[in-house]
Amino acid sequence: MTKTPSPVGQIGDYEIKQLKIFKVVADCGGFSAAETELNISRSTISIHISNLESRLNLTLCRRGRAGFALTEEGIVVYEATVKLLGELEDFRNTINHLDIQLSGNLTVLFSDNISLDQRAGIPDVIRQFSKLAQEVYLTADVARMSEIERMVMQEEADIGFIPFHRELEGLEYQHIYTDVCYLYASNKNPLAKLNDDELTDEIIDGFPVAYAGMKTQERINGHLANMNLKATAYNYESRMALLLSSRFIGYLPELYAKPYVERGELVAIAPERRSFQLEIMAITKKTNALNKVRSLFINIMRDHYRSQGR
């Protein structure tokens, strides 16, 4: 019968020690193999694991003639332990970078409306960063994706936030969130008046399209390959203006278009087959050079996204 876990309450140094021992035992595949790694006796290891199980009111592992194995609860606790110890290490690294007063400059660049997207949490990240780096001069700006990539590569900018469209050697990528993009038309556009049966690919592809004007991933280019490309509008704001004119149709992220859809100004066209996913990434330059200001921002950013389950 599965035990009901006890409320954990506050976790102190002793519990952290027990969790570290539990992780080593699990990684080694048993108590005997963990003796050398931990440099303590098997009986001491057994006491720590038993105390941890009592603390949690859970059976974490089976040990005996059949061998060592984690229980279902043990697997969950193990995964949570790995995450917890990783966060502690990130915290330790962040604090260790604060051994001197941070100063200098940090330049962060954004594509389109990423800086204010709630999923990116940029205001929260900057708030935490500013508390620890009050003397750092911060520059935040908006630029085209290719310009952001160039500036990060040439160290004219420290961090960039862009939709993922290619992978460049020399850059590191961290996934932030994923957009779903649909094909939209103004409510005054002739396509908005047609029902699903009438919205054939031939009719849709014949209508003038406003798009970003750049080559991107093949799966996204595939949606544009047969369409009637008649206008370039890189930024979402300018693309929206063209769509609302009713002359053009075009792709936009679902959340960006949502207020216009709710007001009835935009209509999604054939959403079941005219959509694609767009991954939003944070990019930094691959380098071994120590930059405490940039490292602090990146660590805070990663901790924030980890806390959000991303």
Side-chain angles (χ1 to χ4, degrees):
M1 181 176 179
T2 302
K3 297 179 181 179
T4 302
S6 300
V8 175
Q10 187 165 348
I11 297 177
D13 291 342
Y14 184 64
E15 286 80 11
I16 295 296
K17 179 181 179 180
Q18 289 177 330
L19 289 170
K20 286 181 177 179
I21 292 173
F22 168 65
K23 180 181 180 301
V24 172
V25 170
D27 289 340
C28 292
F31 289 18
S32 297
E35 280 186 283
T36 303
E37 182 73 19
L38 292 170
N39 197 29
I40 56 178
S41 67
R42 193 185 319 179
S43 60
T44 302
I45 295 173
S46 180
I47 291 171
H48 281 297
I49 298 300
S50 295
N51 288 343
L52 179 61
E53 289 179 322
S54 297
R55 174 81 162 82
L56 301 178
N57 195 30
L58 292 171
T59 300
L60 300 179
C61 54
R62 308 289 183 192
R63 51 266 201 193
R65 293 182 179 178
F68 175 88
L70 293 179
T71 63
E72 291 184 8
E73 293 87 354
I75 293 173
V76 174
V77 173
Y78 174 81
E79 291 174 350
T81 299
V82 171
K83 181 179 178 182
L84 172 63
L85 296 179
E87 290 174 347
L88 287 173
E89 184 62 26
D90 285 345
F91 176 79
R92 185 180 296 109
N93 289 336
T94 298
I95 299 305
N96 287 341
H97 285 164
L98 299 178
D99 54 353
I100 61 173
Q101 177 66 48
L102 288 177
S103 61
N105 303 292
L106 182 78
T107 299
V108 186
L109 300 179
F110 303 94
S111 176
D112 268 311
N113 64 325
I114 295 175
S115 60
L116 289 179
D117 193 299
Q118 292 184 352
R119 294 167 295 178
I122 299 301
D124 291 331
V125 172
I126 291 177
R127 183 182 303 112
Q128 295 177 55
F129 172 80
S130 298
K131 288 180 180 178
L132 298 175
Q134 298 181 18
E135 299 303 317
V136 172
Y137 189 93
L138 181 63
T139 299
D141 208 346
V142 177
R144 295 175 66 91
M145 286 188 286
S146 57
E147 183 69 2
I148 294 174
E149 290 171 327
R150 182 193 67 78
M151 292 182 69
V152 172
M153 286 284 285
Q154 297 181 5
E155 298 188 280
E156 297 174 22
D158 297 287
I159 303 167
F161 291 82
I162 63 173
F164 180 74
H165 64 115
R166 60 181 176 178
E167 187 166 351
L168 295 178
E169 187 70 27
L171 290 180
E172 292 185 341
Y173 296 80
Q174 177 173 334
H175 180 264
I176 305 303
Y177 61 87
T178 299
D179 267 327
V180 180
C181 296
Y182 290 99
L183 182 64
Y184 291 100
S186 162
N187 63 345
K188 298 177 182 178
N189 188 293
L191 292 183
K193 312 299 181 184
L194 302 180
N195 59 42
D196 291 340
D197 294 334
E198 296 171 317
L199 282 170
T200 64
D201 288 336
E202 183 179 5
I203 290 176
I204 294 173
D205 290 340
F207 212 89
V209 173
Y211 77 118
M214 60 180 293
K215 183 176 177 60
T216 182
Q217 302 174 63
E218 286 302 321
R219 61 183 176 82
I220 296 177
N221 288 334
H223 284 271
L224 299 170
N226 299 317
M227 301 188 80
N228 184 17
L229 306 180
K230 286 294 185 181
T232 297
Y234 175 79
N235 293 310
Y236 295 151
E237 185 176 341
S238 57
R239 203 179 312 165
M240 178 67 77
L242 296 186
L243 267 58
L244 292 176
S245 75
S246 77
R247 164 65 178 161
F248 303 94
I249 60 176
Y251 285 95
L252 287 170
E254 181 183 21
L255 287 185
Y256 184 80
K258 184 177 180 181
Y260 298 87
V261 173
E262 291 178 342
R263 292 197 297 268
E265 298 177 57
L266 282 185
V267 176
I269 303 299
E272 70 284 351
R273 66 182 191 275
R274 296 285 178 148
S275 66
F276 58 82
Q277 291 189 334
L278 189 63
E279 292 79 21
I280 306 302
M281 299 284 187
I283 62 171
T284 53
K285 183 178 180 179
K286 291 181 181 177
T287 177
N288 293 324
L290 178 62
N291 182 323
K292 291 190 175 183
V293 173
R294 180 174 58 201
S295 295
L296 175 62
F297 190 94
I298 292 172
N299 284 336
I300 291 173
M301 180 183 73
R302 288 174 175 167
D303 287 347
H304 174 78
Y305 297 140
R306 185 183 291 115
S307 71
Q308 300 300 310
R310 287 180 275 137

